[in-house]
Amino acid sequence: MQNKLVDWVNEYISEWRSHRDDNYLESWKEYERLWRGVWAPEDNTRQSERSRVTSPALQQAIENHTAEIEEAVFGQGDHLFDIDDDMKDPDPTDVQYVKNYMKECFKKNKLRKSVGDIILLGAIYGTGIGELFVKKTKVLSPATQNMDNLGVVAVGVEEKEKVSVYLKPINPQNFIVDPNATSIEEAMGVAIEEFVPAHVIAQKIKEGVYKDPSDLEDDATPDENLEASWVDQEYNDDKIRVVRYYGLVPAKLLDGQGEEEVVDLFNKDKEDEDISELLEEYGDMVEAIIVIGNDKLLKAEKSPYMMQDRPVVAYQNDTVPNRFWGRGVAEKGYNMQKMIDAQLRSYMDGLALTAVPMMAMDATRLPRGSKYRDWE
């Protein structure tokens, strides 16, 4: 049953990934290299080009754009947000407490850094994406306790359990969305795939968050499309390829009903001729969270969120109507960046000939009596 669910999720994710890669991936990788100032053979502007210099013009544009947005969001100090109390509420302290508590949580969970990273990714790739995590954490704090029998005070550490919400920036190279959708809510599902350290997965299995597949290995097949484009060699040990899927899945697969029903769903064997093929495949679906590690099912459950929201947020840096993926600063400044690079590299190549004016030729092919002159 678990294999059927994994196969169903992987089949859709594979199709969505192929559509994303064919249309966007190569451009994203080039935007990333230009932002980092890293040269690659495919970035040459002409075949005879020898210089590898990359102008910092696009880097400056991206970072200035990001700084302006961060200033607009966080430039008011602690006044990041406000909550208006009900005018009929005689006690305003309850709302003030919520405001102060949220500000404290934002600082402890490093929300400002996460939002800044999402804004930067949006400026580079055109779409800023963040994933929300809700988890229980243990908070340690200094504490004292009276020892009645001894008349002294013991000094130690007090442990409390706290529910925290974290925002994690997601690179578009690690994000997969239904190509037919223009928003996360409209999509049949979205998925985030990335390499996760093996010890993190082991800890979650120990805590009971994930299931324990007996044949789960602690290494994953390298995938350059998930890695940073400027890194020549990745560390491929002690990590697991994890896919977190948020979206609709067939209720039969999730609830673990009869195997015969699951086989019929995949083989399209219709016992009831009154039900159309469309309803048979998409008519009975539920919102769920599926976690897969190295093609092994780690978690499968119906959405625990009261409003059935998907814990992913996204925005377009510059709006592209009726499209999910937006337009970033790198895309808007791409042509000018290539022109500046071509000009600088032509200067550098010409400078080499000017500083060391030597030429190589096959003298046997020159007509008899020709004179060797550099300029004609």
Side-chain angles (χ1 to χ4, degrees):
M1 181 65 65
Q2 295 180 1
N3 292 334
K4 294 293 184 180
L5 181 59
V6 171
D7 292 343
W8 188 92
V9 172
N10 283 339
E11 180 180 358
Y12 277 98
I13 288 179
S14 178
E15 294 176 358
W16 299 348
R17 184 192 300 112
S18 297
H19 178 272
R20 181 204 64 184
D21 292 351
D22 293 342
N23 290 279
Y24 301 100
L25 185 60
E26 292 305 317
S27 296
W28 287 346
K29 285 184 171 292
E30 186 172 6
Y31 298 157
E32 188 179 22
R33 290 193 299 270
L34 293 175
W35 167 60
R36 296 278 300 190
V38 177
W39 177 88
E42 55 266 35
D43 295 339
N44 279 343
T45 58
R46 65 179 190 277
Q47 291 184 351
S48 60
E49 191 173 79
R50 297 175 64 87
S51 176
R52 299 183 178 184
V53 65
T54 300
S55 169
L58 191 60
Q59 300 177 38
Q60 183 180 12
I62 290 173
E63 289 161 8
N64 285 345
H65 178 85
T66 302
E68 290 290 340
I69 296 180
E70 287 196 49
E71 175 65 22
V73 177
F74 300 108
Q76 301 300 319
D78 291 336
H79 300 287
L80 176 62
F81 65 91
D82 199 3
I83 302 176
D84 293 331
D85 196 1
D86 186 355
M87 58 181 294
K88 296 182 180 180
D89 187 2
D91 183 14
T93 58
D94 54 349
V95 173
Q96 187 63 38
Y97 170 79
V98 172
K99 290 168 58 175
N100 295 336
Y101 180 72
M102 290 181 64
K103 291 177 182 179
E104 180 182 331
C105 292
F106 286 171
K107 290 180 180 179
K108 289 184 177 180
N109 298 339
K110 301 179 180 179
L111 178 75
R112 179 165 185 169
K113 179 182 184 303
S114 299
V115 173
D117 291 345
I118 292 173
I119 294 173
L120 178 59
L121 291 171
I124 299 171
Y125 301 100
T127 309
I129 306 168
E131 182 181 11
L132 292 166
F133 287 96
V134 180
K135 64 179 181 180
K136 292 182 179 180
T137 57
K138 293 182 179 180
V139 179
L140 302 178
S141 59
T144 60
Q145 183 177 358
N146 293 324
M147 307 295 289
D148 297 334
N149 297 332
L150 301 177
V152 296
V153 177
V155 179
V157 176
E158 183 179 15
E159 182 179 292
K160 294 182 180 179
E161 193 174 69
K162 180 181 179 182
V163 177
S164 301
V165 180
Y166 296 91
L167 178 63
K168 180 180 180 179
I170 300 298
N171 191 305
Q173 293 178 203
N174 300 95
F175 188 75
I176 303 173
V177 64
D178 180 1
N180 297 316
T182 59
S183 66
I184 292 174
E185 295 76 17
E186 185 181 331
M188 188 178 85
V190 299
I192 297 168
E193 58 176 352
E194 59 184 0
F195 291 115
V196 178
H199 75 274
V200 175
I201 302 300
Q203 183 64 30
K204 290 188 176 183
I205 292 176
K206 182 179 179 180
E207 295 173 355
V209 178
Y210 290 162
K211 298 178 181 179
D212 185 11
S214 57
D215 53 349
L216 181 64
E217 299 179 354
D218 63 346
D219 57 353
T221 304
D223 189 343
E224 61 181 8
N225 292 335
L226 294 181
E227 310 289 3
S229 61
W230 67 85
V231 177
D232 294 330
Q233 185 176 359
E234 285 286 344
Y235 185 75
N236 296 317
D237 298 330
D238 307 323
K239 64 182 182 181
I240 298 173
R241 185 188 185 120
V242 174
V243 176
R244 296 186 294 274
Y245 173 83
Y246 307 105
L248 299 173
V249 299
K252 296 179 180 180
L253 294 180
L254 189 64
D255 295 338
Q257 297 182 11
E259 182 70 20
E260 295 181 358
E261 293 179 319
V262 177
V263 173
D264 289 344
L265 178 64
F266 274 85
N267 295 335
K268 305 292 190 285
D269 295 335
K270 306 298 185 299
E271 296 181 359
D272 190 350
E273 296 297 337
D274 296 334
I275 300 178
S276 66
E277 182 178 351
L278 186 65
L279 288 178
E280 179 69 19
E281 185 168 358
Y282 302 107
D284 187 18
M285 306 186 79
V286 295
E287 193 73 26
I289 297 177
I290 311 297
V291 181
I292 301 171
N294 286 352
D295 292 328
K296 307 296 181 182
L297 186 64
L298 298 177
K299 182 178 182 180
E301 66 176 3
K302 292 184 179 180
S303 176
Y305 302 108
M306 181 175 63
M307 304 301 295
Q308 298 294 293
D309 296 329
R310 293 166 182 171
V312 181
V313 292
Y315 82 100
Q316 292 185 354
N317 182 269
D318 192 10
T319 301
V320 179
N322 299 322
R323 295 290 187 273
F324 177 83
W325 300 109
R327 188 168 67 125
V329 177
E331 182 177 346
K332 290 188 281 187
Y334 175 80
N335 290 327
M336 183 57 65
Q337 173 72 25
K338 298 298 284 189
M339 291 172 61
I340 296 174
D341 286 346
Q343 187 178 30
L344 292 177
R345 291 171 185 176
S346 65
Y347 287 159
M348 296 293 290
D349 292 346
L351 182 62
L353 180 61
T354 303
V356 188
M358 294 183 294
M359 299 179 64
M361 67 180 70
D362 186 357
T364 61
R365 295 179 177 272
L366 291 174
R368 182 174 297 176
S370 296
K371 297 181 181 179
Y372 303 107
R373 293 185 297 177
D374 292 338
W375 310 102
E376 288 193 57

